[in-house]
Amino acid sequence: MAGAVTNTERLIKAFEHGQKFGYPEMDFAVGRYTGNGIAVVEALRRRGYSVERNPNTLPQSYTLKSQE
């Protein structure tokens, strides 16, 4: 199926869109019913993005920051 977009690509696109409007970071959830697994966090890190876990959040929340 050509043109399928992964959750990682969808997050990157939303993040880049936010940066155009001056938002330096973006929060997103990981876990059951979110569509994002921990593999998304690892994929973002492999692509050079800074991803930090926000403490004491359920479902797990992470902050995506610009590429290092």
Side-chain angles (χ1 to χ4, degrees):
M1 178 185 274
V5 178
T6 65
N7 286 344
T8 303
E9 292 166 340
R10 202 171 284 126
L11 281 171
I12 290 171
K13 197 163 215 158
F15 176 66
E16 289 172 349
H17 183 73
Q19 283 190 317
K20 289 179 186 176
F21 293 96
Y23 294 99
E25 54 190 47
M26 179 183 87
D27 290 344
F28 66 97
V30 171
R32 186 180 289 178
Y33 310 120
T34 65
N36 299 319
I38 196 69
V40 170
V41 174
E42 295 305 320
L44 289 166
R45 288 180 176 149
R46 278 194 306 272
R47 294 179 188 206
Y49 289 91
S50 174
V51 182
E52 298 174 4
R53 184 170 192 269
N54 299 329
N56 302 322
T57 56
L58 288 175
Q60 293 178 1
S61 177
Y62 288 81
T63 299
L64 175 61
K65 298 181 180 182
S66 30
Q67 293 179 320
E68 298 173 330

